[in-house]
Structures are given as structure tokens and as C-alpha cells.
Amino acid sequence: MTQVSGEASSSEAGRVWILSDQRGREAAYEAVVAGLQERGVDAELVSITEVIGTAAREALAGGAERLLRGLRVATRGHAGEEDFIGALRRARPDVLVLTSPRFARALSVIESLTGVGSVQVGLTHQPVAAPGWFTGSLHGFVVPDQRTADAFVAEGAVAERVHVAGPAVRPASLQAPERDNVRAELGLAEALVVLVRAEALDHATLEKIVFQCTLMDRPARVLFHHNGDGGVAATLRRAADHYGLPASMFGHVPDLEKYVAAADLVLAAGDDPYLPEALAVGTPPLLVSVGEDAGVQAEALHARGLAGKVHDVLRLGSELDRFTEPERLRELRERLLETRDEDPNRAVVDALVEALQEREAWRRPLSSAEPEGGESAPVAGPFESIGRSGDQASYARPEAPAGGPAAAGPVEEAGPAEKGALVVPPPRREPVEARPTIGAAEAREQLAQLILSERDCERRLEELEKHQERWRGRLELAREWNERDLESEAETILRGYQSEAAPLVQELADIRRQKEKLKNAARGTTSSAGSEESGAPTGERANRLEERFQKMEVDRDLKGLKDRIKRELGE
């Protein structure tokens, strides 16, 4: 835990506290602290200790003040730890930087409790506007990219106080060793290497991942990083032995960037705190949605083209086969290296320095003191005017978007082999005597879930095929009647349905391929429903289109009936 000094700062530049409750991110925040100190700022990284023992639930239930009094920090010149409120009163920081939204609500009452009017700034490495950030009274934010900034502004943040910088990363990740050299050093030069960040995954998901790795068609070497978590290591040993996966695992290392650089991909949870470093190194991540927050963050990075996303852990074997295609990995690696900031920590420092310099302005409410025409002047007293009439608002709204040798490593065998030096097993080969790698009951359970997914996918495809057939007929009809505008509309709508069907076809193929993999594993052998009119226009224009097409269809049917009557009468 970083200590904080016990007296108010005498630095002209001011004092900044960076509050952190994530051990895995503290090395990155230490780099930001060092950068602030170089700029003459009295900066400290304050590690928050959670509420002690059984008082945790009581403090959370007792409101923000009780939660704050349960937080502990160590202060320089005072024996042991003291409560957060006492330390804040003594140090009186000018800016409080929150690195997690968990305490945003509690810190909203800090000024009334302590009399310290610190400007509060949210510093996030996540590419989403988490709702927790808006439960407090933060004055500004530092976010990793412009899309995230737009999302924060859309939620009500002030555009001028949302800075795009970072994310903060460990300095070593910006100076990762050359990939080919480190692969040769670790004995991985000729292998496809999958690095699994196991510490951020729950035990049930880990067991499924171990099994799914046995289903990969492409030979690979799997390295699990448990970071010293004994429970995770035990789960990995048990699962690797049970499913027959030759793999390796390792614990805490000071140079994790070296292992990330050596890997072809990093398999991790969508909310893994180490993701910014993996992206900075340039190793493509494949993200697992192990919860709501992880799913949202995985989707955000996937939408930016910076990561792959595992839609269903039960289909991970097929996802890995597709994601590890050499050309796809090469393109994604190049994209990561092209888009990364060469010095993101300096950008974060610049943003925090600006917040420090503008702290007096940031503390003032944004509502104008001048009443609008037709409005009465605000009542004198301790009141703040909020809200505006008409199209005005008290915050800026976003604009519409425009288009060493191998034996020296710390890896430990996950199977029954001896523990100690890095002994990377050879690529997985076909067993001489095939045996089931999954129990019949477990296979049936997973197969049942895949069948449900398959049926749902087939149903959605059938619906889309019906819509395609309908609009294909309407397209031909518009051409027969020489209705150019209707022909153009029908072509556009038909293409929309075809585009919607394409990913479903791929998803269905993945499900069926995964079913075969699961069946082979059990035998020991080798080998959102779409909307009905999702592509259609809506509103009054849609009604007009429908009326015109219906009239044409009625006339066609009537003409066909007349022709049939004539044929029946011999005319």
C-alpha cells in the first residue's frame, strides 16, 4: 500500500490522490504518479483496503458515510492504518482520481463529511460508460478513446470535461521484447501459443476452457497464467488431468509482458484488468463473457476491431480454430500496433494536470446564472438551478456521429509431471489409443445446449428466408410493372435480409462443427431472434409501399384468375 503524507500540500501545482482498489492495475497507476511528480505535482497512489471482516455488508447497507469510514489507508507519520476520512482531512488533496466506479456513490458525500472540496475525476481503462460512474458527483472523466467519450457525454457528462487519454499501462508493456527472440528463449518458436489469463476466470469456466482446448483442430501449446492463485492452479491441474490436455501453467512473474509477447493470442475475461497491457504489447485477445460487465466490455472491444469475442464457451473449440487462422492473427496484430498510443501514460498525466489547473472552474455548477426569456430569476439562497426549458440542457450533448533458455522460465506443468522449470509439452498429437475425454453425462448436457442453440439459429434463418423469398417476388413484380422506385426499395430491403442472414449461417456452421467435436470427444474418436421486418422501412412511408405492392399483387392474382377462367371455357 502506498503511503500518503500527513500534511496538506505546499506545492503550488497542487496535490492529487489516485485511489485504486485493483492490485493488477497499480503498476500502471504508479507510472502516472511518477509522471505527475515530474510535472511538479504532489501525487500519491492510495490503495484502498476493503471494509474489514463482517463489517463489509453492514457498511454497504448503512450508506455512503458508513462505507467511507470502513475504508482504510496508511498515512506517513502515523502508526498503522487509519480511516479514509481522517487521512483525507489531513492531506486535503485538490483532486481525487477514482479508478473504479465502485466508490463513486460513496465519495459523493465526501465534502459534507470532511469539508474538503476535492475535484473528483474518473479514470477508466474500460471502453464503456459503466452506470456506476454516474451514481456519484464526479466533475470530469479520463477515458481511453473517442467512442467511450461520446458514450459518457450521452449519459450526461460534460463534453469539455471528458478527456480522451490512455489507458494507463505498465511501462514494461510499451517496451516488450522482440517477439521472435522471446519465443526462441521460451522454446515456443515453432508452436501456436495460446495464453490463458486464468486468474480472472471462475472455476467452472476454466474447466470448460480446458476441455474446449482439447477440441482444437490446429496443434497448439496452451499456457495458463494463474498469477499465484492456489485455487485456480488446483482447478487447472485437476481439469488438465481429467480431460487429457497437455498444458503448462505459471504463477506471478515480474515480466508478464514477455509471455504475452510470445503468445499468438491471449484468452481472457472481457473485464480482465490486464487487457490494456495485452493490447499495448500487440497480442490479439480473444475475450470470454463471464458476466454482464465482462460481456459489455468484450462487445465494445470486438466492435472496435481490437479483439475477438467468444459468444458461447461451449463453442470455444470452433471459435479458437477460426480465430487462430494465421492471416486473421496477423491482421489483428498489425491493427493493434497501428492504433496504440506510443506513450498513453503521458497523455493521462496531461489530462490530470489540466483537471488540476481547472479545478476551481470545474467545481462551479454549469447552469447559467442568467435566466432565459420568460423564466423567473432563481430564488436567492443555497439553491442551484438545474434543468433548462426547450431544447437547452445544463450539459453538452454529443454530436451525431459522422460516418531466457526454456528451463529458466517459471512455468509449471499442469499435468502430473514434475513441478519447477518451464517444460513446454510438444504440440498435441492424436492419441495412440483413442479414449473419451469427457464423460457421457457432461457430453449430453453440453450437447443439449448446443442443440437448443442450433434450433434457435435454424428458426431465425427460416424466418429470414421467408422474408427474402417474399421480397424477391416483390422485386420481380416491380420489374414486371416497370416500377423503378419500388424496384430500388425491394432491392435494398432484400439485401438487408441477406446481410442479416450471413452471420447466422456462419453461427449455424460453428454450432454443427462443435457438435461433431463434442461427439468425437465423448466417443474417444478424432476427426436473438430476428425481427419480422428487420430490413423493412417503418412509418408512413412503409405503409405507402405496402399499399402499392398489395395492389400490384391483387391485380396479378386477378389477372391470373381471369386467364384461368378463359382457359377453362376454351376461350
Side-chain angles (χ1 to χ4, degrees):
M1 179 181 302
T2 301
Q3 293 184 334
V4 296
S5 60
E7 303 300 333
S9 172
S10 60
S11 170
E12 293 183 1
R15 165 169 287 173
V16 175
W17 271 15
I18 298 181
L19 307 179
S20 171
D21 66 339
Q22 300 182 54
R23 182 172 62 92
R25 299 287 304 150
E26 288 193 353
Y29 300 140
E30 287 280 12
V32 174
V33 167
L36 288 169
Q37 292 172 343
E38 290 177 0
R39 300 280 291 272
V41 178
D42 185 1
E44 300 282 354
L45 175 63
V46 180
S47 299
I48 300 177
T49 302
E50 292 284 3
V51 180
I52 305 300
T54 58
R57 286 188 298 273
E58 298 175 1
L60 290 171
E65 178 180 355
R66 200 166 178 184
L67 174 58
L68 287 173
R69 293 191 183 279
L71 300 179
R72 314 293 294 176
V73 295
T75 55
R76 191 177 303 132
H78 295 266
E81 295 181 347
E82 65 175 327
D83 68 278
F84 175 72
I85 292 178
L88 193 72
R89 282 178 175 150
R90 195 165 30 256
R92 307 186 71 83
D94 300 292
V95 176
L96 282 177
V97 181
L98 281 70
T99 58
S100 168
R102 296 175 58 199
F103 300 107
R105 171 67 183 89
L107 288 176
S108 66
V109 301
I110 198 68
E111 183 173 1
S112 62
L113 291 177
T114 65
V116 179
S118 304
V119 167
Q120 297 179 22
V121 178
L123 172 60
T124 179
H125 64 278
Q126 300 169 348
V128 295
W133 288 116
F134 306 98
T135 61
S137 56
L138 275 72
H139 301 87
F141 300 92
V142 180
V143 300
D145 57 40
Q146 188 58 48
R147 290 178 64 173
T148 308
D150 293 341
F152 270 78
V153 174
E155 291 294 331
V158 182
E160 293 78 9
R161 300 180 184 176
V162 180
H163 294 273
V164 177
V169 296
R170 294 161 38 138
S173 65
L174 301 173
Q175 305 163 356
E178 204 279 327
R179 185 166 179 265
D180 291 338
N181 292 341
V182 72
R183 285 172 68 89
E185 176 188 343
L186 297 176
L188 305 171
E190 304 300 326
L192 172 72
V193 180
V194 178
L195 175 61
V196 183
R197 283 271 301 148
E199 69 163 328
L201 297 165
D202 63 86
H203 292 235
T205 301
L206 271 179
E207 290 190 352
K208 293 176 182 177
I209 288 176
V210 171
F211 168 66
Q212 292 294 324
C213 286
T214 68
L215 304 182
M216 290 181 64
D217 292 335
R218 188 174 285 109
R221 294 180 176 178
V222 185
L223 303 178
F224 292 93
H225 178 225
H226 59 72
N227 203 26
D229 189 322
V232 172
T235 297
L236 290 172
R237 291 191 191 95
R238 182 174 62 253
D241 183 62
H242 177 70
Y243 294 116
L245 175 71
S248 299
M249 66 182 185
F250 62 104
H252 177 73
V253 290
D255 54 351
L256 182 57
E257 291 77 15
K258 180 171 71 174
Y259 300 86
V260 175
D264 291 280
L265 70 100
V266 174
L267 182 63
D271 56 353
D272 192 317
Y274 191 75
L275 273 179
E277 280 74 16
L279 294 172
V281 169
T283 301
L286 181 60
L287 305 180
V288 181
S289 303
V290 292
E292 184 177 352
D293 291 342
V296 172
Q297 294 179 45
E299 182 59 38
L301 288 173
H302 179 64
R304 289 162 171 75
L306 301 177
K309 179 184 177 184
V310 179
H311 299 278
D312 188 345
V313 177
L314 296 180
R315 305 208 306 264
L316 177 59
S318 297
E319 296 271 6
L320 282 170
D321 288 335
R322 190 166 72 248
F323 192 76
T324 54
E325 292 174 0
E327 185 64 19
R328 182 171 184 179
L329 287 176
R330 183 187 64 79
E331 291 178 355
L332 187 50
R333 184 181 295 274
E334 290 177 353
R335 176 174 175 79
L336 291 175
L337 294 177
E338 288 173 0
T339 57
R340 76 173 183 178
D341 189 339
E342 293 300 325
D343 195 354
N345 294 338
R346 180 175 296 277
V348 173
V349 169
D350 291 341
L352 294 180
V353 167
E354 182 174 343
L356 182 63
Q357 294 171 344
E358 300 293 328
R359 59 187 181 273
E360 295 302 328
W362 281 26
R363 282 184 47 77
R364 289 195 294 269
L366 285 177
S367 298
S368 172
E370 297 291 335
E372 295 187 1
E375 294 184 0
S376 59
V379 180
F383 304 108
E384 172 189 348
S385 298
I386 60 174
R388 302 294 288 272
S389 62
D391 296 331
Q392 301 298 319
S394 60
Y395 58 87
R397 296 186 182 276
E399 297 179 357
V411 181
E412 171 186 327
E413 287 296 316
E418 290 184 21
K419 305 174 184 177
L422 167 60
V423 182
V424 180
R428 181 171 57 87
R429 297 184 177 88
E430 304 297 341
V432 177
E433 294 183 3
R435 67 180 181 87
T437 58
I438 187 174
E442 187 176 356
R444 281 195 297 269
E445 179 183 352
Q446 295 192 20
L447 188 60
Q449 296 183 47
L450 288 172
I451 290 173
L452 290 175
S453 299
E454 180 183 29
R455 288 177 179 174
D456 179 65
C457 194
E458 289 173 342
R459 180 179 60 79
R460 288 185 285 168
L461 274 175
E462 289 173 0
E463 289 293 325
L464 289 174
E465 287 170 359
K466 289 178 183 178
H467 293 310
Q468 290 181 45
E469 188 62 31
R470 179 187 183 193
W471 283 95
R472 214 174 272 116
R474 287 186 164 186
L475 176 60
E476 294 300 325
L477 188 60
R479 288 171 175 168
E480 291 174 7
W481 283 67
N482 201 27
E483 294 281 357
R484 297 302 181 189
D485 59 333
L486 292 181
E487 178 183 347
S488 176
E489 291 288 349
E491 284 180 343
T492 301
I493 295 170
L494 180 59
R495 281 196 298 269
Y497 283 123
Q498 290 172 338
S499 298
E500 189 175 347
L504 285 178
V505 172
Q506 179 64 61
E507 183 178 350
L508 184 59
D510 287 345
I511 293 173
R512 289 172 175 169
R513 185 164 61 250
Q514 187 67 17
K515 283 174 57 181
E516 290 304 314
K517 289 175 178 287
L518 187 62
K519 292 175 183 177
N520 291 335
R523 299 185 189 118
T525 57
T526 61
S527 46
S528 119
S531 62
E532 291 190 2
E533 299 290 346
S534 57
T538 58
E540 183 179 350
R541 178 167 162 270
N543 293 333
R544 289 198 302 270
L545 286 175
E546 188 68 23
E547 289 176 1
R548 293 176 66 185
F549 272 115
Q550 285 181 357
K551 182 177 182 302
M552 291 163 59
E553 289 167 343
V554 170
D555 289 346
R556 178 193 60 190
D557 295 341
L558 182 58
K559 182 178 181 297
L561 181 60
K562 290 179 180 178
D563 291 342
R564 180 177 179 182
I565 292 174
K566 288 180 180 180
R567 288 195 302 270
E568 293 290 338
L569 296 175
E571 296 180 4

